[in-house]
Amino acid sequence: MEYVAQTYQDHTRAIWKLGTPLILSNLAMFAIHITDTIMLGWYDVTALAASTIASTMFFIVFIVGAGFAQAVTPMVAAAAEEGDERQVRRVTRMGLWLSLFYGAAVTLPFFWAEDILIAIGQDPDVAALAHLYLQIVIWQMIPALIVMTMKSFLAALEHAAIILWATIGAAVVNVFVNYALIFGNWGAPELGIEGAAIASLTVNLVTVAILIGYTLWKLPQFELFRNFWRSDRDILASVYRLGWPIGLTSLAEGGLFSASAVMMGWIGALELAAHGIAIQLASMAFMVHIGFSQAATVRAGRALGRRDEMSLRKGGATAMTMSALYAVVTSALFLVFPDVLVGLFVDPTDPDRDALVRIGASFVIVAALFQLVDGLQVMALGLLRGVQDTAVPMVMATISYWIIGMPVSYILAFTLGLGGVGLWLGLVVGLAFAGALLSWRFWARSVRIAAA
């Protein structure tokens, strides 16, 4: 039997071993996003704007379906801890089924992407380019969801290293295909935004091939694709029940930040640009919290499979402490070097540089608080998902984000006249409420898994 962590030191080592490749793979995914932004920015500003709005449209739809993939992690972790290889196969297979069903269902509306974008007030030229981008990118919806499901399966079995190497490989492929097809290098046609879309689709197809190939090679005992088309209604229903609240929670959080960008645009163009820089910095730091949260989900799922409440408590406390310590470090950096960090994103010759750095630095200082509360809420969510508690946390998170956070942002920013800083403070308040409620849910109720 695999050694079970007993002490806090054991839990620290286990979370660090599993979390490190997950953190690095998240940073590699972030690098793919940054690469796309830089290369399209070099090519054409309108193409960059079009890809930004198109990617946002795609992502909002994607994260809802990704909830089914994320539901695979705690269910597979619990089944693996029980030694039930058949259950591992059934859960993963039904997760893949739901990914296929969802991906096929949401594809159709994207064929009218240009009409939809114009209807919501986008510039016709931007909408036309975004439509071209989406006509290619939409075909990666199913492969991207399959990638998420396979990553969940492999992470639950603590085969996280392959996730890292597959993501790094995808990042390298993305750079080369972008360079060739956006600009027409190495004899390839110059396709601009369509080249970026082809690169994105290629990255997902390559990643699918790597993860499935690894599974067939290294984990043949699970026979993951045996009788793939055989339905399993009970497991399908279980994955669905666990997954849809995860997807809607992600949608609520993603929608919060999209709405904050819209509200910042009401304040001014410089404020919106500074907000974008601060969000990039906060998002980069947040990749580490997500990695710890993913590791916490796996560790909690395994404790659930053993009915080991003490291990769950110690593991949960360890994961939260590790995330909090990291948050203290990043918060200190944000407080001490806000001007320097914002300045990295601004052209030295830009006439608005001084104003942009000053505004952005004020947002980054608030983002120091943001790190602490955002880390707390995502860690609590990860632990709750590990013990398969997702419906009530969805309600708690949505109330915190939209009933508390968004109105407070509006009141501080506009009613009290604090502007962009007030808007960021409102986000901190909303995330703090989410962190408090979700932590209370875990420690007061969901941690109690011991057998009667």
Side-chain angles (χ1 to χ4, degrees), residues 45-55 117 125-131 133 193:
V45 174
T46 304
L48 176 58
S51 72
T52 299
I53 189 65
S55 297
L117 290 169
D125 292 337
V126 171
L129 281 176
H131 180 82
Y133 182 85
I193 193 171

Side-chain angles (χ1 to χ4, degrees), residues 120-143:
I120 62 175
Q122 297 301 310
D123 179 85
D125 292 337
V126 171
L129 281 176
H131 180 82
L132 290 176
Y133 182 85
L134 285 167
Q135 297 318 293
I136 298 170
V137 167
I138 187 55
W139 298 109
Q140 79 177 33
M141 181 67 76
I142 289 176

Side-chain angles (χ1 to χ4, degrees), residues 345-423:
F345 290 80
V346 185
D347 186 341
T349 63
D350 191 321
D352 294 320
R353 175 183 171 82
D354 290 344
L356 194 55
V357 169
R358 175 176 52 79
I359 296 167
S362 68
F363 296 166
V364 170
I365 289 171
V366 181
L369 296 173
F370 191 90
Q371 287 297 298
L372 295 167
V373 296
D374 207 11
L376 176 62
Q377 65 98 24
V378 79
M379 290 306 299
L381 277 173
L383 289 166
L384 287 164
R385 289 170 185 174
V387 294
Q388 302 182 26
D389 182 8
T390 60
V392 172
M394 174 195 68
V395 176
M396 289 178 167
T398 303
I399 289 173
S400 299
Y401 302 152
W402 285 95
I403 306 301
I404 297 172
M406 188 53 61
V408 171
S409 284
Y410 184 89
I411 291 169
L412 292 176
F414 299 102
T415 305
L416 299 181
L418 296 181
V421 170
L423 196 153

Side-chain angles (χ1 to χ4, degrees), residues 225-284:
F225 300 100
R226 182 168 68 90
N227 300 322
F228 184 79
W229 298 110
R230 179 180 295 173
S231 65
D232 197 323
R233 292 184 181 180
D234 290 342
I235 298 299
L236 184 71
S238 297
V239 176
Y240 177 82
R241 281 195 300 269
L242 191 63
W244 72 262
I246 296 176
L248 292 185
T249 302
S250 300
L251 178 63
E253 185 173 10
L256 175 71
F257 289 101
S258 296
S260 72
V262 172
M263 291 169 64
M264 193 67 77
W266 298 344
I267 298 172
L270 279 178
E271 286 80 4
L272 180 58
H275 176 75
I277 293 170
I279 286 290
Q280 290 280 10
L281 288 167
S283 297
M284 189 180 302

Side-chain angles (χ1 to χ4, degrees), residues 157-202:
L157 298 177
E158 303 197 22
H159 283 253
I162 184 59
I163 298 174
L164 170 60
W165 291 115
T167 309
I168 291 174
V172 172
V173 169
N174 187 62
V175 169
F176 281 101
V177 179
N178 266 337
Y179 185 72
L181 296 181
I182 292 176
F183 303 100
N185 291 310
W186 302 324
E190 181 182 335
L191 299 177
I193 193 171
E194 291 177 288
I198 292 171
S200 184
L201 175 60
T202 302

